[in-house]
Amino acid sequence: MRIVSIHNVYTNENLINKEVKIFGWIRNRRHSKSGVSFIDIYDGSCLQIIQCIVKKNIISNYNSEILKISIGCSVCVIGKVISTLDKYQKYELQTNTIKVIGWVEKAHQYPISSKKHTYEYLRSVPHLRSRTHIIGVITRIRNNLFHAIHKFFYNNNYYWIPTPIITSLDTEGSGSMFRVSTLDMNNIPKNKIGKIDFKKDFFGQEAFLTVSGQLTAEAYACSMGKVYTFGPTFRAENSNTTRHLSEFWMLEVEQSFSNLEDIINISIKMLKYVVKFVLKYCKTDMDFLYNNIDKNIFKRLETFLFSDMVHINYEDAIEILSYSKKHFNNEIKFGMDLSIEHEKYLIEHFCNIPIVIKNYPKNLKAFYMRVNDDNKTVAAMDLLVPKVGEIIGGSQREDRKNVLKERFLELDLNIKNYSWYIDLRRYGSVPHSGFGLGFERLMSYITGVKNIKDIIPFPRTVRNILC
């Protein structure tokens, strides 16, 4: 007798008429007066459930346990797999043994009943919401997308680098960072001028949760050639929107001997690869999203796969927006950042396909982006997709030591804090480029789920740290 998952049952015809053991949880149950119960089991391995046919004259604990069983109970079931004529439920289990492993206390108060729950309600019980169809679907797609990204870079000879989560540097220069400290908050040490004495802290200086692993990934790109880092990043921004999280996952790629166009091409190639991967290996879950979330999901993703992206300069984007007859709530002119409504217009009305905007004014971008010959713009790009907006931001990195130092001065950054980063320009500097991808935003684009809080298992946002 084999221990199998429900996914095994639905994908392995050799299990038909074989006795198997399945562990799972009760999704639903019905008891008939004739002494037969129909118990639906799920185990998280796939969207499908398997119905267990439980007969009173076969199951010894029918009266003592089976009739008391409730939604959410965990069980071990042994029975024979048989085919059915139901196209939605191809298999069922003729059960000869069913054992309750974990009971649900106060079943009538179980937070995840069989009825449909709103996203807002599910966010209030993040430790239980994975028991629903929709969050199970998102979780499996997320797992496959994560695997696809690693597979793409492995196949293309990139090295994965685990960059630090605790850092002393603000990569973006924004100051929106979470502080890491072991100081006693009730007895904070002060120095001679009355400021916090960070020399008494664990690292002997200020430390933060990283907003990006880019700078340290660049160090390895300047010796290993092609690298990427993929992990959690943190932003202490007071933004409670459908597009922002305080803790999210970021893919960051760095590549030596490359320019802006090279990194644009590799980012598009990677995106098309992972979308194809999800469509191929998550068909049942994607069908669920089509039927319940987004009727346009397949058309949208196929358009993405088979369309050439529009490439325009920032200056051209501003001109398009300026000549638009549409009234924008936010003023737009050269030197200003694009707002969400500007991005939406460019993607959904002007182009109607994903778009790459490049060569932004340097005052809008970070210090590490290579300054173009006009000394006004930098070799930077943003990749925008319908419904979500920006999912990738990248640039050619500034590899000239003197120009980099000038940027530090312009942005009033302490050069001493970046001495090791400047060293990379002293010792065998090379042209190199990179990009960052917001993993949850990519998930939102692929699944059609609008609120990014529903894409990540345990969302961290302003004044929200449940679990």
Side-chain angles (χ1 to χ4, degrees):
M1 179 178 56
R2 291 177 56 184
I3 298 175
V4 301
S5 67
I6 295 173
H7 179 261
N8 293 148
V9 173
Y10 275 85
T11 56
N12 186 354
E13 292 184 352
N14 293 329
L15 293 177
I16 298 174
N17 295 322
K18 299 287 177 57
E19 189 173 78
V20 299
K21 178 187 286 188
I22 296 176
F23 293 93
W25 294 267
I26 306 298
R27 177 77 75 189
N28 217 331
R29 77 276 183 267
R30 291 180 293 113
H31 306 296
S32 71
K33 294 180 179 179
S34 61
V36 179
S37 293
F38 304 90
I39 300 177
D40 296 337
I41 307 290
Y42 74 97
D43 67 357
S45 65
C46 59
L47 180 65
Q48 289 95 339
I49 56 94
I50 192 160
Q51 181 171 261
C52 302
I53 310 301
V54 184
K55 296 181 179 180
K56 180 179 181 179
N57 61 348
I58 294 176
I59 304 299
S60 61
N61 59 341
Y62 190 86
N63 288 328
S64 61
E65 289 193 337
I66 305 309
L67 291 178
K68 299 175 183 177
I69 215 164
S70 62
I71 294 170
C73 288
S74 58
V75 294
C76 172
V77 182
I78 298 174
K80 182 166 57 172
V81 178
I82 60 172
S83 298
T84 74
L85 298 177
D86 189 335
K87 66 178 181 178
Y88 298 108
Q89 187 176 292
K90 292 171 59 178
Y91 306 105
E92 61 187 22
L93 213 62
Q94 286 186 340
T95 307
N96 56 56
T97 303
I98 180 167
K99 179 182 179 182
V100 179
I101 296 174
W103 291 92
V104 169
E105 297 179 10
K106 298 180 180 179
H108 64 287
Q109 295 179 1
Y110 181 56
I112 307 296
S113 62
S114 58
K115 71 175 185 178
K116 189 173 182 179
H117 299 285
T118 65
Y119 285 120
E120 290 77 11
Y121 171 75
L122 292 178
R123 283 179 221 134
S124 71
V125 285
H127 57 300
L128 298 174
R129 67 178 182 167
S130 60
R131 302 181 183 203
T132 62
H133 280 309
I134 181 61
I135 302 300
V137 163
I138 291 169
T139 301
R140 285 186 292 272
I141 292 175
R142 183 183 177 98
N143 177 69
N144 276 275
L145 183 59
F146 187 87
H147 175 69
I149 288 173
H150 280 293
K151 185 175 173 64
F152 173 83
F153 287 108
Y154 181 82
N155 291 344
N156 285 276
N157 302 311
Y158 285 75
Y159 296 101
W160 170 68
I161 309 298
T163 54
I165 289 177
I166 299 176
T167 181
S168 63
L169 291 180
D170 183 356
T171 305
E172 301 299 321
S174 64
S176 301
M177 303 178 75
F178 289 102
R179 189 181 301 282
V180 175
S181 176
T182 59
L183 294 177
D184 182 355
M185 295 295 106
N186 294 314
N187 187 25
I188 297 176
K190 300 290 182 68
N191 58 25
K192 292 179 180 180
I193 58 174
K195 292 188 176 182
I196 298 174
D197 187 358
F198 287 104
K199 291 181 179 180
K200 301 285 180 65
D201 210 343
F202 187 89
F203 293 104
Q205 65 180 93
E206 290 184 88
F208 307 90
L209 293 178
T210 186
V211 298
S212 168
Q214 177 202 313
L215 301 188
T216 42
E218 278 188 61
Y220 269 72
C222 291
S223 58
M224 304 298 292
K226 301 193 298 185
V227 305
Y228 72 102
T229 184
F230 195 3
T233 54
F234 309 86
R235 304 281 170 93
E237 297 173 348
N238 191 12
S239 300
N240 195 7
T241 73
T242 59
R243 291 159 42 103
H244 290 89
L245 292 166
S246 298
E247 177 184 330
F248 57 96
W249 280 66
M250 183 90 99
L251 166 71
E252 295 176 285
V253 179
E254 295 296 325
Q255 181 172 317
S256 287
F257 307 104
S258 64
N259 58 28
L260 180 63
E261 294 304 317
D262 294 327
I263 211 68
I264 290 174
N265 291 337
I266 196 68
S267 66
I268 294 172
K269 184 179 177 182
M270 180 273 298
L271 285 175
K272 292 194 174 186
Y273 176 89
V274 300
V275 169
K276 285 181 182 177
F277 190 97
V278 168
L279 289 173
K280 181 178 180 179
Y281 292 103
C282 302
K283 187 178 185 309
T284 302
D285 288 323
M286 294 296 284
D287 286 341
F288 177 88
L289 294 175
Y290 171 82
N291 290 320
N292 295 275
I293 302 295
D294 182 3
K295 288 292 184 183
N296 195 43
I297 189 168
F298 293 115
K299 181 179 179 182
R300 175 165 47 81
L301 295 177
E302 285 165 6
T303 298
F304 174 81
L305 289 175
F306 299 109
S307 298
D308 292 328
M309 293 191 189
V310 173
H311 293 224
I312 62 173
N313 284 324
Y314 165 88
E315 186 174 9
D316 297 325
I318 295 299
E319 187 173 353
I320 292 166
L321 293 167
S322 298
Y323 281 102
S324 168
K325 294 181 180 179
K326 177 179 173 59
H327 174 72
F328 296 112
N329 294 323
N330 299 283
E331 180 188 6
I332 188 65
K333 61 183 179 181
F334 190 91
M336 299 180 68
D337 214 350
L338 302 181
S339 67
I340 294 174
E341 64 173 346
H342 299 141
E343 292 180 352
K344 185 175 180 180
Y345 176 82
L346 290 170
I347 304 166
E348 299 178 11
H349 297 284
F350 179 71
C351 298
N352 204 31
I353 55 174
I355 181 173
V356 175
I357 303 175
K358 53 191 179 182
N359 297 317
Y360 282 80
K362 68 178 184 179
N363 67 291
L364 296 179
K365 295 296 182 180
F367 63 87
Y368 52 76
M369 299 187 179
R370 183 181 174 90
V371 179
N372 289 326
D373 292 340
D374 61 11
N375 202 35
K376 295 179 181 178
T377 61
V378 289
M381 69 88 168
D382 287 334
L383 193 156
L384 317 178
V385 295
K387 306 298 182 184
V388 175
E390 179 197 340
I391 58 171
I392 284 181
S395 73
Q396 184 171 341
R397 310 315 190 190
E398 183 55 77
D399 60 287
R400 298 164 295 182
K401 181 185 70 174
N402 293 337
V403 178
L404 183 61
K405 285 184 173 181
E406 288 174 10
R407 291 290 286 150
F408 284 131
L409 293 173
E410 288 175 8
L411 296 169
D412 197 28
L413 295 172
N414 189 340
I415 293 180
K416 290 182 180 179
N417 292 339
Y418 298 88
S419 60
W420 67 267
Y421 189 67
I422 296 172
D423 273 355
L424 300 176
R425 279 73 183 164
R426 286 195 177 100
Y427 308 131
S429 183
V430 298
H432 59 287
S433 304
F435 70 84
L437 163 74
F439 185 67
E440 281 74 27
R441 286 193 182 182
L442 176 59
M443 274 287 297
S444 180
Y445 176 63
I446 289 176
T447 62
V449 176
K450 295 178 181 179
N451 197 320
I452 204 167
K453 300 179 185 69
D454 304 315
I455 294 297
I456 196 166
F458 298 97
R460 268 70 175 117
T461 55
V462 180
R463 292 176 178 82
N464 176 43
I465 194 169
L466 287 174
C467 293

